[in-house]
Amino acid sequence: MKLLILILLILNIASAKVVARIDREQITSAEVQQAFNAYWREILHLPIARSTQRDLQEFLVEYVRSKIIQMEAKRMGISVSPQEFEEYVERHIGSKRLSDVAKELITTEILSQKIINRIARDLDVKDGQITAYYYLNLRDFKLPAQVLLERYTTSSLDTANEVYYSLSRGQPVRSVEVRVGQPMWYSIQTLPEIVRRQLYPYEVGKTTRPIEVGGSYVIFRIANRRGSGIMPLEEAKPIVREKLLREKRQEVFQRWFQEVSKRYSVEFYFGQL
C-alpha cells in the first residue's frame, strides 16, 4: 500500500512539473504533453512515436504563443462562432472527431487569421512590386506543355459512345444526359497514363474514348494547347499579388505579436519537459 502511494505521489509530482509561466499562470508538463499528443495525432495526423524532444520543445513555445493570442483576441473582442469553427475543420482538418485540446488549438489558428484580417485590412500590393517580383523570379513561372481539356460525363455507355463519335467528327454534343465540365488546363506530364496515351499527339480536337470512373463514363477532348515556356506577366499577376499580400500580412502579424507579448512575463523551463 505504501509503495502504491509512493508511486502515485511520484506521478503527481512529475505531472505537476512547471514547464512555462505566463505571468501567474503555470503551464505543466502534463498539460503540454496532452496538447502535443493531440496536435500530432489529430492535426498533423502523424504517429506520436516519430516525435522528438526538439519537436516537444518547439511545440511548447507555440503553445505559450497560442495562449497569448487567445488572451489578446479576447481583449480585442474577437471570438470564433460554432459555424466558423465547423467550416474551418471541414476545409482544413477533415475529421470532426476532435479532442477538446485539438479544438482549442484549431480555435487559436482561426483567431490568428481574424486578428490578421483586422490589423492588416488596409494592406495592398503595388503593380510595380508585382512586376519586380515576376522578373526577379522568372524560374518560378516556368510552365510545362499543357492542354485545355473539355470534360463530358454520362452514366450511360451508349450515350458516352455517341458523345465520342460526335466529338471525333467535330460535331456538337446535344444530349441532355451529358454533363459538360468547365474546360481546365492540365500539364501533359501529370495526366493519367490512360488519358495521356489516348490524347497523343495532343492535337486540338483529339478525343478519348469513354473512360469508366466510379460508375460513370468520362470523355476528354483537347480544346486548346500551349507549349512549355514562361507564364505571361498578366496571368502571373494574381498569383504574385496573393503571395506578396500573404507575406505582408504575416509580417504585420509577427510585428503585432512582438508588441503585445511585451505585456506578459513569460518564462520557459525546457529542462522540466
Side-chain angles (χ1 to χ4, degrees):
M1 184 67 179
K2 290 182 179 180
L3 179 59
L4 177 60
I5 294 174
L6 180 60
I7 292 173
L8 291 174
L9 181 60
I10 292 173
L11 290 175
N12 287 335
I13 292 173
S15 64
K17 284 183 178 178
V18 176
V19 295
R21 294 179 191 272
I22 307 174
D23 293 338
R24 295 182 179 181
E25 180 181 354
Q26 297 182 346
I27 299 174
T28 66
S29 177
E31 177 185 347
V32 172
Q33 191 65 58
Q34 182 185 20
F36 182 65
N37 291 349
Y39 176 71
W40 268 68
R41 290 172 177 164
E42 301 177 48
I43 298 177
L44 295 184
H45 302 293
L46 293 173
I48 194 66
R50 291 177 55 185
S51 65
T52 64
Q53 187 67 14
R54 183 179 179 83
D55 292 324
L56 183 57
Q57 291 176 352
E58 291 177 350
F59 176 80
L60 172 59
V61 175
E62 288 301 312
Y63 189 67
V64 168
R65 187 169 177 268
S66 73
K67 284 186 170 292
I68 292 175
I69 290 172
Q70 288 181 19
M71 289 186 282
E72 284 300 310
K74 184 177 181 180
R75 191 180 66 83
M76 297 167 70
I78 297 175
S79 60
V80 177
S81 70
Q83 182 178 352
E84 289 172 328
F85 182 86
E86 290 179 9
E87 289 175 354
Y88 184 92
V89 169
E90 188 171 337
R91 283 199 312 270
H92 302 283
I93 307 298
S95 174
K96 293 186 178 181
R97 299 180 62 182
L98 300 167
S99 65
D100 290 340
V101 175
K103 290 178 181 178
E104 194 72 14
L105 294 172
I106 293 169
T107 298
T108 301
E109 179 59 30
I110 302 172
L111 288 172
S112 298
Q113 293 303 315
K114 297 184 79 169
I115 290 172
I116 291 175
N117 290 340
R118 177 177 294 188
I119 64 178
R121 59 176 174 265
D122 296 326
L123 278 182
D124 194 14
V125 179
K126 297 179 181 178
D127 284 344
Q129 294 173 310
I130 295 173
T131 302
Y133 182 92
Y134 172 80
Y135 284 109
L136 290 172
N137 298 274
L138 279 176
R139 289 184 179 180
D140 295 345
F141 302 99
K142 187 175 181 180
L143 295 173
Q146 295 178 306
V147 287
L148 181 65
L149 295 186
E150 297 172 343
R151 179 188 179 104
Y152 301 84
T153 307
T154 179
S155 58
S156 166
L157 179 58
D158 289 338
T159 303
N161 284 324
E162 291 176 6
V163 171
Y164 166 71
Y165 287 117
S166 295
L167 293 175
S168 298
R169 296 168 185 169
Q171 299 173 352
V173 176
R174 294 189 172 88
S175 176
V176 295
E177 298 178 16
V178 179
R179 299 189 301 278
V180 182
Q182 182 71 27
M184 294 180 63
W185 286 100
Y186 293 90
S187 166
I188 292 175
Q189 295 176 347
T190 61
L191 290 174
E193 174 64 24
I194 188 172
V195 177
R196 191 166 63 245
R197 186 175 63 248
Q198 292 194 51
L199 292 178
Y200 182 82
Y202 314 114
E203 298 170 342
V204 174
K206 188 71 174 175
T207 306
T208 67
R209 290 185 175 276
I211 300 171
E212 186 175 4
V213 180
S216 297
Y217 296 91
V218 182
I219 302 96
F220 295 98
R221 176 184 176 276
I222 298 179
N224 200 351
R225 68 163 292 170
R226 56 190 177 195
S228 59
I230 302 296
M231 181 186 294
L233 173 59
E234 289 305 312
E235 289 186 30
K237 275 185 175 181
I239 300 172
V240 176
R241 183 182 298 278
E242 178 63 28
K243 175 180 174 58
L244 295 180
L245 192 57
R246 186 168 57 249
E247 290 176 353
K248 282 190 171 186
R249 284 162 57 90
Q250 196 58 41
E251 289 172 3
V252 169
F253 183 73
Q254 288 173 356
R255 289 197 298 270
W256 170 84
F257 184 79
Q258 288 173 355
E259 286 301 313
V260 300
S261 61
K262 293 176 182 177
R263 301 192 183 109
Y264 304 89
S265 175
V266 178
E267 298 176 11
F268 291 101
Y269 311 104
F270 294 113
Q272 301 278 42
L273 277 173

